[in-house]
Amino acid sequence: STAMAFQTSPPGAPWVDPHRTYSAYGAATRVTGPIVSPGTYTVELKAGGQTLTQPLQVLADPHSPGTEQSMTAQVQFILHVRDEVSQIAGMINHLERTRLQLQNLETLLAAQDSHDDAVMQATKQLAQKAVVVETQLINIQNTGRGEDAFRGPIQLYGRLGWLVTNMDGRPGGGTSGGDMAPTDQDLAAFKELTADLVPIQAQFKRLVDADTPAFNTLLKQNHLSAAIEP
């Protein structure tokens, strides 16, 4: 799955490490995929120019309350959530790169006596548009401290992580899982969160496909060689 990575400090807090770790108390900060359900698998090892394979039989825990059907349903659900979280992480990373480039450009323009005020204003406006989109996906005020999980709203990235926290029984995950299928409430919440993402995706697409190219055109018209890259 795609890992989310901050590259800019929280607005108004330039002293915070731009590359801080996102703190989300109790929620999975990266949904990497579930423990596989019982069955026959093939393990592949590549080393020294050779590829070696070996069959592997995964057995169910005899003490588990789950069934083959519930385990399969759980795996499918976690994979669906993982794909959604991965997509959101990719959007966040794009927005972080855009905001970082805009910050650097703003610093450069401020250092030039002959900079165009219209370009500076456009730089700030595009940065604000990126912030508006990103704050719907994740709390960009998060400084990486555990307490920050309670100081701001948990946005879409964190909410989806919460959906699998209690059913993902990987070692070190903080829960034993249970091999149970997602509940009707889990499925309903996932459906609602997926729907919440749709308008944000539209805003993100407009920023990437329209606002950013228009901004780059403005830079070119003002004889600036800089450009905001994906």
Side-chain angles (χ1 to χ4, degrees), residues 208-219:
V208 173
D209 294 346
D211 296 335
T212 300
F215 178 77
N216 286 338
T217 298
L218 177 65
L219 294 180

Side-chain angles (χ1 to χ4, degrees), residues 20-148:
R20 65 202 181 279
T21 300
Y22 171 64
S23 174
Y25 181 81
T29 55
R30 183 182 179 189
V31 182
T32 56
I35 297 174
V36 298
S37 55
T40 302
Y41 298 86
T42 299
V43 178
E44 183 177 277
L45 173 64
K46 294 183 179 181
Q50 290 184 314
T51 299
L52 305 175
T53 61
Q54 180 72 31
L56 175 67
Q57 184 73 26
V58 177
L59 303 177
D61 183 345
H63 303 291
S64 172
T67 65
E68 181 180 349
Q69 291 76 19
S70 69
M71 293 179 194
T72 299
Q74 184 190 98
V75 168
Q76 291 177 344
F77 179 73
I78 295 179
L79 287 175
H80 286 321
V81 175
R82 180 204 63 184
D83 291 345
E84 198 84 350
V85 170
S86 185
Q87 181 181 9
I88 291 174
M91 295 168 63
I92 293 171
N93 290 343
H94 186 111
L95 292 163
E96 283 288 316
R97 289 193 298 270
T98 296
R99 291 177 54 216
L100 177 60
Q101 292 176 79
L102 290 169
Q103 284 183 7
N104 292 337
L105 178 59
E106 187 173 340
T107 300
L108 177 64
L109 291 173
Q112 296 178 352
D113 295 333
S114 60
H115 74 268
D116 193 320
D117 289 339
V119 175
M120 176 67 84
Q121 188 64 25
T123 303
K124 294 180 178 180
Q125 289 176 349
L126 184 60
Q128 183 55 35
K129 287 181 179 179
V131 166
V132 168
V133 178
E134 189 175 354
T135 52
Q136 298 174 76
L137 300 173
I138 197 168
N139 177 16
I140 62 175
Q141 299 291 347
N142 192 295
T143 66
R145 296 185 177 183
E147 297 85 351
D148 276 4

